[in-house]
Amino acid sequence: MTEPAIPDGEALKADHVARGVSRLLFRQELVALTEVTLGNGRRADVMAIDSKGHIVIVEIKVSRADLLGDRKWPDYLDYCDRFFWAVPAGFDLALCERAELQPDISGLIVADAYDAAIVREAEHRSVAASRRRAETLRFARRAAGRLLAADDPHLAGFD
């Protein structure tokens, strides 16, 4: 099943949020990749790993419809220690408090193209050791594949 196309303005805004989120995570000593396919086939907008192997997944939402229409996000919870929503500056944060978005476990980040801030910290929930190992290996191989493709476009497509 293919994802619906994102309007150009929303895609650009999502790219900006991803950049700000990645900068925030980097300052917290987490290295991030965008558009990461998980073992269950779902694609996380941002996935980051710290030096202890803790995994953070951030799902970016740039519109009300995008946020409230997302029914797949619980599929990410078994693949991360912490889960965050990220929204652009000016977004109606009250929407992120809705019960179906589980604000008791999901964190909230507000970002733009230059920076981000955590508005609500995410609950820490440990990933099973075998899944952590598998996802860390998948993350490392994806990062290496992207680095190789940047140097040699003929190697693109590994991701």
Side-chain angles (χ1 to χ4, degrees):
M1 179 177 188
T2 60
E3 295 283 328
I6 299 172
D8 288 342
E10 287 187 14
L12 179 60
K13 192 179 283 189
D15 287 347
H16 287 173
V17 171
R19 180 179 177 199
V21 165
S22 295
R23 287 178 169 193
L24 167 71
L25 294 172
F26 186 79
R27 284 195 314 273
Q28 295 182 347
E29 299 185 11
L30 288 120
V31 290
L33 290 174
T34 59
E35 298 297 323
V36 178
T37 303
L38 304 173
N40 64 359
R42 293 290 189 201
R43 183 174 287 242
D45 292 330
V46 178
M47 181 178 184
I49 298 180
D50 70 13
S51 62
K52 295 179 181 177
H54 295 130
I55 300 170
V56 171
I57 290 179
V58 181
E59 188 65 5
I60 296 170
K61 299 299 175 189
V62 297
S63 71
R64 174 188 175 95
D66 189 22
L67 177 69
L68 299 180
D70 188 339
R71 298 290 180 247
K72 67 186 183 327
W73 75 271
D75 295 345
Y76 299 129
L77 296 178
D78 289 337
Y79 289 82
C80 61
D81 297 290
R82 294 185 300 154
F83 176 86
F84 288 90
W85 297 104
V87 297
F91 194 87
D92 181 0
L93 299 183
L95 292 172
C96 302
E97 299 301 322
R98 295 172 65 113
E100 66 268 23
L101 300 177
Q102 297 185 26
D104 55 322
I105 62 168
S106 61
L108 179 59
I109 298 172
V110 174
D112 61 24
Y114 303 100
D115 205 0
I118 294 176
V119 174
R120 181 181 65 234
E121 187 58 63
E123 176 184 66
H124 187 276
R125 305 167 40 160
S126 291
V127 173
S130 60
R131 174 149 304 146
R132 181 181 312 284
R133 182 184 183 288
E135 292 306 314
T136 301
L137 181 59
R138 189 185 328 272
F139 185 93
R141 290 181 52 80
R142 177 171 290 107
R146 289 181 184 179
L147 185 59
L148 286 170
D151 286 341
D152 184 349
H154 292 97
L155 299 176
F158 180 80
D159 200 343

